[in-house]
Every structure is written in structure tokens, then in C-alpha cells.
Amino acid sequence: MPAPGAPLFQAAAANLNPWTEAKVGTGNPDRGPLLIISGEKDHTVPWAIANASYKQQKDDQAITEIVEIRGRGHALTIDSGWREVADTALEFVKRFV
């Protein structure tokens, strides 16, 4: 599908450009609740990375939670067992709607 390449280049250079649009805005008091879902067997974004993201956000006034789904890898929503991931996310959303 044709699409602008700018977001790809911004994401690729995010660590080199401190003013990038791809930078995560931590400390934003207006953000909504955040749920970080990690797979126990995820080697692409392992627990240490997901947990570091959680720690970066948890001190905000907004709610931040983290969940590890046992026995799952990186493809949380496209592998068998996706319903457990969807149910986890849905239960989180229901608490705030």
C-alpha cells in the first residue's frame, strides 16, 4: 500500500534526533490509562524492555499497568490464544469507560 515514508524515517532516527515526532511524551497529565501487554516468551520486545517502558510511565498521574501473558511470544494478537490477550485488554478498558 502506498504511504508517506516520513513516519518510518522518524521512527528509524528517533534515537538520534531529540526533537523527533516519534518521541514518547512521558509526563503528559492528559493521557488516558495505559496497559502494557507483554508475552512471556517474547524475544523481540522482552519483559525487561516492556517493564522499562512501564517504569517510565508509572509515575504519571494517569493509570499505568503492565501484564505478562504466560506462554506467549511477540505475536500476541495473531497467534492462537489471541482471545486471552483481547479479553485482558477489554477488561482493562471496561474499568475506565
Side-chain angles (χ1 to χ4, degrees):
M1 164 184 341
L8 296 174
F9 290 107
Q10 290 167 351
N15 289 336
L16 305 173
N17 179 2
W19 302 280
T20 179
E21 293 87 348
K23 183 176 180 181
V24 174
T26 59
N28 179 0
D30 297 326
R31 79 159 168 84
L34 173 65
L35 175 64
I36 299 172
I37 301 177
S38 178
E40 175 190 28
K41 296 181 178 181
D42 189 342
H43 300 292
T44 304
V45 182
W47 175 258
I49 301 297
N51 198 40
S53 296
Y54 167 73
K55 288 178 180 178
Q56 194 173 31
Q57 294 285 344
K58 75 175 181 156
D59 293 331
D60 285 356
Q61 293 175 346
I63 293 166
T64 305
E65 296 179 11
I66 188 168
V67 174
E68 184 177 54
I69 307 288
R70 299 192 135 259
R72 301 304 305 276
H74 186 69
L76 290 167
T77 59
I78 60 174
D79 285 344
S80 63
W82 63 268
R83 189 170 302 277
E84 178 186 3
V85 178
D87 288 342
T88 300
L90 184 59
E91 289 304 314
F92 178 81
V93 171
K94 284 181 178 179
R95 291 182 14 222
F96 304 103
V97 175

